Amino acid sequence: MSLRPIRSEADYDVALEEVERLWGAKSGTPEGDRLDVLATLIEVYETKHYPMDPPDPIEAIRFRMEQQGLTRKDLEPMIGPRNRVADILNRKRGLSIDMIRHLHEQLGISAEVLIRPSRFDKVA
């Protein structure tokens, strides 16, 4: 396969197969360079054709908690008392601007993600 932009699903499939074949190639070798270029082309194609919505703010907080081994208690300095943390994580209450600032600064979660409306689950 010659290197060229990925313009169709067929091109995309061929590029993925080539990446699979080249996977593990050493950096700085012709195969490694080809792998890098193909990965970049695939990323551009996927960004254009398979855009991903930013995550839900609560899911982002839960994900970061899992990544960093945090408990609900660890969120109290950023969100407030235990019952407020529970309300936020159970989607009974929205994030305030101050909470968003603290979570962004202390957990490194994108402010763009945190300001999005959370999908409030209805509790029966």
Side-chain angles (χ1 to χ4, degrees), residues 1-12:
M1 174 184 151
S2 63
L3 288 177
R4 57 187 179 83
I6 300 172
R7 295 188 177 101
S8 67
E9 279 295 312
D11 292 344
Y12 176 67

Side-chain angles (χ1 to χ4, degrees), residues 103-117:
L103 290 164
H104 170 69
E105 290 168 3
Q106 295 179 31
L107 296 183
I109 300 172
S110 164
E112 181 182 332
V113 168
L114 292 169
I115 62 172
R116 295 188 71 212

Side-chain angles (χ1 to χ4, degrees), residues 5 13-14 18 22 25-26 31 34 49 54 64 71 73 79 83-84 86 91 94 97 99:
D13 291 339
V14 169
E18 181 75 1
L22 294 170
K26 291 184 180 181
E31 292 82 12
R34 185 175 181 82
H49 291 88
R64 189 55 51 95
T71 65
K73 182 146 185 75
I79 294 177
N83 60 333
R84 188 167 302 140
R91 301 173 190 278
I97 295 297
M99 291 176 198

